[in-house]
Amino acid sequence: MASLIFGILALLLVMVFLGVHIAVALGTASAIGVYLLLGSSDIALSVLSGTAYEALRKDIFIVIPLFVLMGEFISRSGAAQDIYSIGNRGLRKLPGCLAVATVSGNAVFAAITGVSIASAATFSRIAYPEMVALGYSRSYALGVVAGSACLGMLIPPSILMIIWAVLTEISIGALFVAGLLPGLILASLFCAYCIITAIMSPETAPSCPPPSAETVDHARNRSELISGLSVVALILIVIGGIWGGFLTPTEAAGFGAIGALVVGIVKGMRRKEISTSIFHAGKITAPIMILLITASMYSRFLAMSGAVDVIQGTLFSFSESPIVIMFMIFVIWLVLGMFIDATSIILLTVPIFAPMSAIIGIEPLAFAIFGILVIEAGLLTPPFGLLIFTVKASVPDKSVTLGEIFRGSVPYWIMILLVAVLVVVFPVLATFLPKSLI
Amino acid sequence: MKFSILIQTSRLIHVLSSLWILILALVILVDVFGRILFLSPLPGTKEILQSSVIAVAFLQIPLAVFSNSMLRTTLLTDALPATAQRVLRSAGALLGLLLFGAIAYAAYPEAVEAFQIGEYEGEGSLRIYTWPVRFLIVVTAAFSAVAYVVMMIADWRGDLDDANALTTH
Amino acid sequence: DNFTFRIGSGHPKGPAPYVTTMSDFFAAEVKRRVGEETEHTVNFVEAYGGSIAGVAETLESVQSGILDFGGFCVCFEPSKMFLHNFPYYLGFGPQKSSDAIAAARQVYDENPWLKTVMEEEYDQVFLGLGVWDNYHLGTTFEWETISDLSGVKIGGAGPNLAWLEYVNALPVQSTLPEGYLALKTGVYDGWLMVPSAYNGFKFYEPAPYYTLIGFGAMPVIMLTANQKKMESLPEEVRNIILEVGAEWEAQNGTAMDNVQDFGLGKLEENGATIKTLPESVRAEWAQSLEAFPKAQAAEAEGRGLPGLAVMQGYIEAAKAVGHDWPVEYQLQ
Ligand code: NA
Ligand code: NA
């Protein structure tokens, strides 16, 4: 069994590296895997058709196209330009100001969706062109967009946290709150990195130009004011709706899309621009959605082959030392993160790892935050880093390469893992807020 | 470009499904305003969203194939000679043809059965029959399989750029 | 020989008690007995929480052989298992799980079609019945009178949503894993749910007001095995599986009675406000459901299913185990 599991993993890798569409590679590998596992092509076919119908059958998935649409409207309306001009003015004195603004903005957007790829897609369109226009290095700009999208899973509502809490029977409310402090620490680290890099090598992130005659132009000020107010209103409706308890993420996404359309019309978008936005939103969404479907086929193959049992047995046969066990869990999550999506990793591994961590004495909230961080970091690693591909598919500049995005993301990957380790070493980071608030 | 009719069709269904997303946003708006202002949300919103999200995803696959926007990594293959790259692309397209062909083939009898027994989801608020989406998966998966064949042929004819040009807005 | 079986369900082990018993009782017992009583051994690949098949796909996955064993609520198969949902159509039925499952067992024995249809149409062997504990209503706000529930969006599995018509609530079909966030954001303000799962899925956090209404314990869970797989097994292994399936059903009633008590205790411990619906309101509510069973029986008959026999059978069987129906349902 182990040889079959690792064989299919190898096959998948080979296909991905030979340039096969990743969705196709995932689907094909899982069908072959199921066939070899059960010797029945009928069952292999059933897995394909069953997953095709069921994998996305949840209304929550509609947030992906809707938030992409929202981002398209905002970025094509010119509002994003205006917002970044405002941010530019506000944070102008700060080295790497637009990157810092991207970190904050990205965290906010990811907090709306609970699905970090949607915010990566949105910010690839909004933030990346602005940063490049200001002369930021491409890799630096791409890295901050991809890296800071990971913040979303630490800020509620987070789908990963809900799945985790239900599986391990810890309180969802407590887990939500537990993520706040590590999330803020991570965001501060990101900002510090952006600022320090900008100071160390100003050519990477040139400082914003001083106000020119053009920026005191009254018409332009008015346009920026309208953009600023309407986007703030939009974010207030979307985030305020969720936090205030009026809207689900799905509903907030609906409001976001329509609200952004209204902003676009106010900013002068007409039928041609609107239809272009809608057309392009679809082109960004489609590859992500099909990837979600086939990733789900693959996670089903792993569940069917009992990959989890193989892994648990292997782990305990090595050692029972807490440090070694935690290190092995860490490495396994990193490796799985290279191949499959975060939800599937949680579904497949947490039922085994959570009891193991309890046995070796790790605080459950700290373990959950550690796990979510490490698994999210996997979205940034090659060859299958979902956020990397999302950014690649979403940036308007088609000359951007995956390699550039991967390179830019490495510092963020390191910082995420650093905070993950910090949370295990100092569990109070995760438990302090829940214990004092609840 | 001989297959332009296919590409035009994929563009058309892509546009329709993209518009459908905007309409779904409106449906959500009506639902929420109904709930907050008139204490009467739109019945069946959740069921409509659930079925639509699959439909939209599948309707957009053919154009994603034609426009070469399916996600892939070319880190390694970029270093190879042009012919080797072409061979690998064709092998990848062959796999795409097999995968989507298999999905269409396997989903067809299920769609027929769903139609015959009148399978539905949702109760109380609204019954949504499953066969329209199931047949849609069959048709769009088959179309995607064909798209891979077209791309393979275009690749060997040197028509890839022409095909790509047809997919832009 | 060594057999590896895949067993799965759409609900997770732990928060959903029927899944816990599938794993801790059924799978464990089959493994133990085959190991001890035959020269074969058995291994289970356990895939709960939808990691192989979701709540609405488990029946199909057992049918195609993706799963060898599956446990599912027939409530997520409204078209294929229309009549198997009969306990939902007869609200305010037996309150204790042990009574409900005993009554349902009698109906299954008197109407063997309920079991044989699984083999004839869905290529799977019926192994045993499972049951939810008694259904009540949890809400995000405290309510006093029925009119407070008017227009409120309330989630539920599907066939039980008809119970809400009386209070003019707006029913939405949903699954347990989606519930927490929906309640948290206030999009749903209530959920029709049994204490065990209400506690297990932590609905008491966003919706701490739990009103004991007693729609009844629902024997609507089914444990099945892929037919081809069963036929391929040595007879002694097959017999052990059938026996353990029956034992699984037999211990489910008491197990779920305990789960109900445990769940209510836990809810209280976790800070939920538990109230009991006044008897007069409950009687009126039950009365309001009078037309529902008639309509469902007629629809079943219209589909060529023995709706009258099955539903009348359940009414009588419930009486036989000592249940006092608060409303005398007339099916014709
Ligand atoms: Na989030
Ligand atoms: Na189903």
Side-chain angles (χ1 to χ4, degrees):
Chain A
M1 192 68 78
S3 57
L4 172 65
I5 293 163
F6 293 117
I8 292 296
L9 220 75
L11 174 69
L12 175 68
L13 243 150
V14 168
M15 286 196 279
V16 167
F17 277 127
L18 290 182
V20 176
H21 292 172
I22 294 174
V24 172
L26 282 165
T28 314
S30 51
I32 293 173
V34 172
Y35 174 73
L36 293 176
L37 184 68
L38 301 174
S40 156
S41 53
D42 283 352
I43 297 180
L45 287 170
S46 295
V47 170
L48 294 185
S49 59
T51 313
Y53 181 70
E54 287 288 346
L56 294 184
R57 266 191 61 81
K58 290 207 174 71
D59 56 345
I60 186 71
F61 286 115
I62 202 76
V63 305
I64 298 172
L66 286 177
F67 275 117
V68 170
L69 191 55
M70 171 174 161
E72 276 289 312
F73 284 142
I74 292 291
S75 68
R76 280 170 201 274
S77 70
Q81 209 90 25
D82 290 342
I83 291 304
Y84 271 85
S85 303
I86 296 170
N88 170 5
R89 222 175 287 146
L91 297 162
R92 201 173 44 233
K93 301 236 168 74
L94 220 52
C97 60
L98 285 186
V100 176
T102 303
V103 172
S104 339
N106 219 317
V108 165
F109 262 68
I112 301 165
T113 67
V115 184
S116 46
I117 50 174
S119 60
T122 305
F123 271 76
S124 300
R125 304 213 66 95
I126 294 180
Y128 174 75
E130 310 297 321
M131 287 191 273
V132 170
L134 257 166
Y136 281 34
S137 105
R138 282 161 47 135
S139 193
Y140 176 84
L142 292 164
V144 71
V145 169
S148 51
C150 290
L151 286 171
M153 284 306 173
L154 284 180
I155 298 160
S158 158
I159 288 159
L160 293 190
M161 283 183 183
I162 293 170
I163 294 169
W164 192 297
V166 167
L167 282 174
T168 57
E169 298 191 69
I170 58 180
S171 157
I172 296 171
L175 189 50
F176 276 1
V177 180
L180 279 177
L181 200 52
L184 287 176
I185 293 172
L186 191 56
S188 317
L189 261 183
F190 286 172
C191 291
Y193 165 78
C194 292
I195 294 169
I196 291 169
T197 312
I199 294 172
M200 304 285 281
S201 59
E203 71 280 5
T204 302
S207 49
C208 301
S212 61
E214 190 194 345
T215 48
V216 285
D217 174 340
H218 283 296
R220 200 168 155 69
N221 276 352
R222 225 176 86 88
S223 145
E224 283 182 11
L225 190 68
I226 292 171
S227 295
L229 289 179
S230 51
V231 171
V232 165
L234 195 59
I235 290 176
L236 277 181
I237 291 171
V238 172
I239 297 179
I242 295 174
W243 282 75
F246 308 114
L247 304 172
T248 59
T250 310
E251 293 174 344
F255 272 77
I258 299 294
L261 175 61
V262 172
V263 172
I265 291 169
V266 170
K267 294 280 300 169
M269 278 175 90
R270 290 300 169 257
R271 211 172 69 195
K272 188 169 176 302
E273 290 91 349
I274 292 170
S275 75
T276 307
S277 300
I278 295 171
F279 184 81
H280 280 269
K283 270 181 103 167
I284 293 167
T285 313
I288 300 170
M289 302 296 265
I290 179 65
L291 201 57
L292 284 173
I293 295 171
T294 55
S296 167
M297 292 174 184
Y298 190 62
S299 73
R300 285 181 180 205
F301 157 71
L302 288 181
M304 289 175 73
S305 61
V308 273
D309 289 339
V310 172
I311 292 164
Q312 189 172 32
T314 314
L315 276 179
F316 269 124
S317 71
F318 281 132
S319 164
E320 283 171 24
S321 139
I323 293 176
V324 178
I325 295 281
M326 285 304 284
F327 182 72
M328 287 195 298
I329 290 176
F330 181 80
V331 171
I332 286 169
W333 275 338
L334 281 187
V335 172
L336 285 180
M338 293 178 180
F339 301 100
I340 50 179
D341 65 286
T343 308
S344 304
I345 297 175
I346 289 180
L347 279 170
L348 288 166
T349 62
V350 169
I352 314 162
F353 289 172
M356 285 172 75
S357 75
I359 293 167
I360 59 175
I362 309 286
E363 151 66 39
L365 285 174
F367 185 69
I369 300 299
F370 168 76
I372 286 166
L373 279 165
V374 177
I375 292 167
E376 277 284 293
L379 297 183
L380 294 175
T381 50
F384 178 57
L386 203 49
L387 284 178
I388 304 293
F389 291 116
T390 308
V391 171
K392 165 84 173 106
S394 313
V395 286
D397 179 356
K398 287 304 154 208
S399 68
V400 163
T401 66
L402 288 169
E404 277 179 295
I405 313 174
F406 279 128
R407 270 196 303 282
S409 307
V410 170
Y412 296 89
W413 185 75
I414 293 170
M415 285 183 277
I416 292 168
L417 296 182
L418 184 72
V419 173
V421 173
L422 270 180
V423 170
V424 171
V425 178
F426 305 106
V428 67
L429 292 176
T431 58
F432 174 69
L433 281 180
K435 294 231 159 105
S436 51
L437 289 179
I438 296 173
Chain B
M1 183 67 201
K2 243 184 155 170
F3 300 106
S4 62
I5 182 81
L6 288 173
I7 299 179
Q8 301 293 353
T9 310
S10 77
R11 267 193 51 178
L12 181 68
I13 61 174
H14 176 96
V15 169
L16 290 178
S17 67
S18 301
L19 272 176
W20 183 236
I21 290 171
L22 193 64
I23 292 169
L24 291 177
L26 285 171
V27 167
I28 291 172
L29 231 64
V30 171
D31 177 50
V32 173
F33 279 123
R35 183 178 87 227
I36 293 173
L37 300 181
F38 312 107
L39 290 179
S40 69
L42 198 64
T45 302
K46 185 179 141 69
E47 287 82 357
I48 291 170
L49 290 179
Q50 273 182 347
S51 297
S52 296
V53 72
I54 326 170
V56 165
F58 272 89
L59 282 170
Q60 296 185 338
I61 298 174
L63 187 74
V65 175
F66 282 128
S67 64
N68 211 13
S69 43
M70 295 285 277
L71 300 170
R72 64 198 282 250
T73 173
T74 53
L75 293 170
L76 238 70
T77 52
D78 283 349
L80 297 174
T83 312
Q85 286 192 32
R86 194 178 279 181
V87 169
L88 285 176
R89 274 200 301 270
S90 295
L94 194 65
L95 288 175
L97 160 68
L98 287 174
L99 178 68
F100 285 100
I103 291 174
Y105 174 79
Y108 178 69
E110 290 174 11
V112 170
E113 195 204 347
F115 179 73
Q116 283 166 347
I117 67 168
E119 187 189 46
Y120 59 85
E121 312 260 356
E123 185 77 57
S125 40
L126 191 65
R127 284 184 183 181
I128 302 269
Y129 287 92
T130 65
W131 60 263
V133 171
R134 287 188 183 276
F135 274 112
L136 193 111
I137 292 176
V138 174
V139 172
T140 50
F143 191 2
S144 307
V146 171
Y148 275 108
V149 177
V150 170
M151 291 302 273
M152 212 188 309
I153 296 170
D155 195 355
W156 287 98
R157 280 194 186 154
D159 276 351
L160 267 190
D161 289 339
D162 292 350
N164 233 307
L166 282 170
T167 63
T168 51
H169 190 64
Chain C
D1 296 359
N2 179 36
F3 298 103
T4 299
F5 296 137
R6 287 172 313 283
I7 182 169
S9 66
H11 288 122
K13 182 180 172 180
Y18 81 89
V19 182
T20 311
T21 63
M22 276 170 63
S23 172
D24 295 348
F25 184 88
F26 178 78
E29 191 69 0
V30 167
K31 184 175 175 164
R32 182 189 69 79
R33 284 191 52 189
V34 171
E36 286 173 9
E37 297 168 23
T38 72
E39 71 265 32
H40 308 292
T41 51
V42 157
N43 254 333
F44 279 94
V45 170
E46 302 186 63
Y48 310 116
S51 60
I52 291 180
V55 289
E57 307 170 81
T58 309
L59 176 140
E60 290 83 355
S61 297
V62 176
Q63 182 174 9
S64 64
I66 293 173
L67 286 171
D68 299 312
F69 298 94
F72 54 91
C73 180
V74 295
C75 50
F76 295 108
E77 297 291 347
S79 40
K80 287 181 184 165
M81 308 263 92
F82 181 82
L83 186 51
H84 290 76
N85 278 292
F86 65 85
Y88 283 117
Y89 305 153
L90 298 160
F92 298 93
Q95 301 288 294
K96 280 174 66 178
S97 300
S98 46
D99 290 345
I101 206 167
R105 165 48 58 186
Q106 199 182 326
V107 174
Y108 273 67
D109 287 342
E110 285 167 2
N111 301 277
W113 167 85
L114 288 166
K115 290 176 274 188
T116 54
V117 67
M118 300 310 292
E119 292 177 31
E120 283 155 11
E121 286 187 33
Y122 305 116
D123 308 326
Q124 51 204 291
V125 179
F126 172 85
L127 297 178
L129 271 176
V131 61
W132 292 109
D133 40 327
N134 200 353
Y135 269 92
H136 306 292
L137 177 66
T139 46
T140 54
F141 60 97
E142 197 160 15
W143 55 279
E144 295 297 333
T145 62
I146 294 302
S147 59
D148 294 344
L149 295 175
S150 177
V152 172
K153 224 169 171 178
I154 295 178
N160 53 359
L161 292 171
W163 302 338
L164 298 171
E165 235 166 68
Y166 168 60
V167 294
N168 287 320
L170 189 96
V172 189
Q173 191 193 30
S174 212
T175 57
L176 278 167
E178 304 168 60
Y180 183 93
L181 197 59
L183 288 167
K184 182 94 184 166
T185 52
V187 161
Y188 296 3
D189 281 314
W191 207 277
L192 272 177
M193 194 30 66
V194 300
S196 57
Y198 203 83
N199 181 64
F201 285 92
K202 306 188 190 304
F203 286 4
Y204 56 81
E205 288 180 11
Y209 300 97
Y210 197 66
T211 307
L212 301 181
I213 297 175
F215 293 106
M218 294 291 142
V220 289
I221 309 284
M222 226 183 238
L223 178 63
T224 63
N226 177 271
Q227 194 172 8
K228 249 198 219 154
K229 187 69 165 202
M230 284 292 269
E231 281 163 4
S232 75
L233 295 173
E235 199 178 351
E236 67 262 42
V237 175
R238 188 163 58 230
N239 286 338
I240 288 175
I241 290 169
L242 292 171
E243 281 169 34
V244 176
E247 285 167 29
W248 175 78
E249 176 184 310
Q251 58 86 53
N252 260 331
T254 337
M256 294 305 131
D257 286 347
N258 295 337
V259 154
Q260 162 106 4
D261 295 341
F262 179 79
L264 280 176
K266 270 282 180 196
L267 277 178
E268 197 141 33
E269 207 177 289
N270 286 325
T273 306
I274 300 178
K275 286 205 313 194
T276 306
L277 190 72
E279 195 52 46
S280 59
V281 183
R282 184 175 188 267
E284 216 174 277
W285 197 324
Q287 204 59 48
S288 78
L289 295 183
E290 208 186 353
F292 180 51
K294 196 184 290 180
Q296 297 304 91
E299 176 158 2
E301 294 288 336
R303 293 172 183 224
L305 307 173
L308 289 170
V310 165
M311 289 172 64
Q312 195 60 45
Y314 191 61
I315 294 174
E316 301 307 329
K319 286 180 186 163
V321 297
H323 178 62
D324 208 4
W325 291 94
V327 49
E328 196 66 41
Y329 292 123
Q330 300 296 329
L331 298 181
Q332 277 180 315

